[in-house]
Amino acid sequence: MHRWKAYGRILILRVAPLLAGLAVLIVVILVIAGAFHAKISPHERTAPVRRLEGRPTDTVHRVRKSYAAEAVGKLAAADRTIVSSRILATIQQITVNEGDEVETGQLLVQLSGDEYQTRQQQAEEALRGRQANLSEARSTLARTEQLRRSSPGTITQGEYDQVVARHEMAQAEVRRYQQAVEEAKVLLSYTKIYAPKAGRIVNRYAESGDNATPGKPLLEIYDARSLRLEAPVPETLAVALKPGTPLTVRLDALGREVEGVVDEIVPQADVLSRSLLVKVALPEADDLVEGLSARLLIPTEERQHLCLAAAAIREIGQLQFVDVVDDGDTLERRLIKTGRVGIPGRVEVLSGLSPGDEVVLYGTDEPEPAQPGEAQP
C-alpha cells in the first residue's frame, strides 16, 4: 500500500510540470488569438469621395505603332588602305599623325635615300661609259662601211661582221645601263611615300628612326565617305532584308538618328549567335568616326494599343494605378498594367483602362495620392 502511494507521488511530480506548461501554452495561444479582447462587430466603411478639384487631365486613346528590333554594331570603313614601304630604308620623317585628313599625293613618309642616290649616280656613270663605247663603235662602223664602198676588197666580210657585232653589243650595253638608271631612279622615288588616296589617318605604326621594310605597315588610311554600320542581325530578321533596303541607324553617342541603306549582307551565318552580318551604308557626316557604336533598327511589327500619359501613373510598391474621372468630377482609382514605353512621356496600357477614359495628370512636385480608404491630405 505504501509502495503504491509512493508511485502516485512520483507520477504527480513528473506529470504536473507538463500539465502546467500545456496550460500556459493554451493561455498564450488564446491571448494571441484575441480571446480576451472585445470583438468589433462587422460593418461597412465608406471610403471618402475624391474630387477632381481642377487638376489637369488627359484622355486615353488608341494608337497604331510600328515596333523595331535592334541590332548593335559599330561603324567601319569599306575603303581602307595600308601604307607601307617598297624598299628597306630608315625612316627620316613621318609628316602626319593619327586623325589627320590627307589628300591624294600628299607626302606621308620620307625615307633615307643616300644609298639609292649613290646607286643612281653609279648607274649614270656606267651609262656614260657605255655611251662612249657606242659612239666609238658607231664611228668604226661608219669608217668601215665607207672603206668598203671606196675600196672594195680591202675589208673582208669577216672583219666587217666583227665591226657590226661590236656596234650591236655597244647598243645593247647602252640599253641595259639605261634600264639600270631607270631602276635606280624608281628605287630612289620609293624613298618618298605619298598618299594613294584622300582619307583620314587612323593608325600610325612607326616613328622616325625606325627601319621600314617592304610590306610592313607604316600608316593606315580610311575614307570617311565609305563608313558603314556592320551589325550582326538575327537570321530570322536578316533573311527578310535585301541590298537597297532603307533602315534607321541610331547613334547614341551623337544623340541622333540617320537613314542608311543596306549595302551588303554577308552570306554566312554565325553558328553560335545564329546571325548574319549586315552592312549598312551611311550618309557622309563630319562627326562620324570609325569604331563608333550604333544600333540598327529593323521593323518587326505594327499593332494597336492604348496610349497613356506617363504623368498619370502612380505607384505603391509594385502596384500601378491611375485616377479616372467618373461622373464629371468624381475620381475612381484603378489598378493598371503597363507595357512598352512609346514616344517620350507615353506608355502602353495592357489592362485596366478603355479608350476614352479621362485620367488625372500629376506633377512631380505633387504629394502621393492617398491609398483607397485613406483620407486625402
Side-chain angles (χ1 to χ4, degrees):
M1 185 65 179
H2 293 288
R3 187 170 62 180
W4 285 108
K5 289 182 179 180
Y7 284 155
R9 286 194 297 270
I10 293 174
L11 182 60
I12 291 173
L13 292 175
R14 291 182 177 179
V15 173
L18 295 177
L19 294 177
L22 181 59
V24 171
L25 179 60
I26 293 174
V27 172
V28 171
I29 292 175
L30 292 176
V31 170
I32 294 176
F36 302 103
H37 297 282
K39 299 295 188 294
I40 300 176
S41 59
H43 64 280
E44 293 185 359
R45 183 177 180 183
T46 303
V49 177
R50 301 168 56 244
R51 301 292 181 182
L52 180 60
E53 297 179 354
R55 293 189 180 91
T57 62
D58 187 60
T59 303
V60 179
H61 57 279
R62 191 182 301 276
V63 297
R64 179 178 294 274
K65 182 176 176 61
S66 298
Y67 290 92
E70 294 183 354
V72 180
K74 65 178 182 179
L75 303 190
D79 189 357
R80 179 183 293 272
T81 303
I82 300 295
V83 177
S84 60
S85 174
R86 298 184 180 183
I87 59 175
L88 177 62
T90 303
I91 300 175
Q92 286 187 345
Q93 182 184 12
I94 298 180
T95 62
V96 293
N97 295 309
E98 294 177 348
D100 290 350
E101 294 284 348
V102 298
E103 300 295 333
T104 303
Q106 179 178 336
L107 179 63
L108 302 179
V109 182
Q110 174 66 60
L111 303 178
S112 175
D114 295 341
E115 177 184 352
Y116 298 98
Q117 183 70 39
T118 302
R119 288 186 186 184
Q120 180 179 343
Q121 293 175 354
Q122 292 173 348
E124 289 175 346
E125 291 176 358
L127 175 61
R128 285 192 291 268
R130 297 310 183 274
Q131 288 174 337
N133 293 339
L134 175 59
S135 179
E136 180 182 356
R138 185 180 296 114
S139 298
T140 302
L141 178 61
R143 289 193 300 269
T144 301
E145 290 177 343
Q146 183 180 6
L147 184 60
R148 287 186 67 187
R149 288 193 299 269
S150 61
S151 303
T154 305
I155 303 296
T156 64
Q157 184 64 38
E159 292 174 339
Y160 177 74
D161 291 342
Q162 289 179 359
V163 172
V164 172
R166 284 195 295 269
H167 178 263
E168 292 178 349
M169 290 178 61
Q171 286 181 322
E173 285 290 309
V174 168
R175 288 193 295 268
R176 184 164 71 88
Y177 278 89
Q178 284 177 339
Q179 293 178 354
V181 170
E182 292 301 321
E183 290 177 0
K185 289 182 178 179
V186 171
L187 290 175
L188 183 60
S189 68
Y190 289 162
T191 60
K192 295 181 183 293
I193 302 177
Y194 300 95
K197 60 180 62 178
R200 179 178 295 172
I201 304 296
V202 290
N203 284 309
R204 175 171 166 168
Y205 300 107
E207 299 296 335
S208 300
D210 294 346
N211 287 328
T213 57
K216 180 181 178 180
L218 301 178
L219 299 169
E220 189 172 0
I221 305 174
Y222 80 82
D223 187 356
R225 296 170 298 181
S226 68
L227 284 177
R228 302 184 299 185
L229 170 61
E230 297 183 358
V233 177
E235 56 187 16
T236 54
L237 299 176
V239 294
L241 300 177
K242 303 294 180 184
T245 303
L247 293 175
T248 300
V249 176
R250 182 172 297 164
L251 303 165
D252 293 329
L254 304 179
R256 61 188 178 90
E257 295 181 351
V258 297
E259 293 300 321
V261 177
V262 176
D263 186 39
E264 180 184 353
I265 301 176
V266 178
Q268 182 177 3
D270 183 84
V271 177
L272 297 179
S273 62
R274 307 310 306 169
S275 62
L276 293 172
L277 185 62
V278 177
K279 301 179 181 181
V280 179
L282 302 176
E284 184 179 356
D286 294 336
D287 55 353
L288 296 184
V289 295
E290 192 176 39
L292 194 67
S293 176
R295 289 184 285 170
L296 181 62
L297 305 183
I298 306 170
T300 56
E301 61 177 340
E302 184 179 63
R303 60 190 182 88
Q304 290 185 350
H305 64 80
L306 294 182
C307 182
L308 173 66
I313 302 174
R314 314 301 285 180
E315 295 183 354
I316 297 178
Q318 305 244 345
L319 300 179
Q320 292 180 318
F321 63 90
V322 296
D323 289 327
V324 180
V325 181
D326 189 17
D327 294 334
D329 192 46
T330 305
L331 299 184
E332 176 189 357
R333 181 157 298 176
R334 294 186 192 175
L335 293 176
I336 63 171
K337 183 178 181 181
T338 58
R340 306 177 185 178
V341 176
I343 60 176
R346 296 280 177 174
V347 295
E348 176 186 7
V349 181
L350 301 179
S351 63
L353 294 173
S354 302
D357 285 344
E358 187 178 2
V359 295
V360 178
L361 300 180
Y362 293 97
T364 56
D365 56 346
E366 290 193 27
E368 188 72 23
Q371 298 185 32
E374 294 181 347
Q376 287 287 82

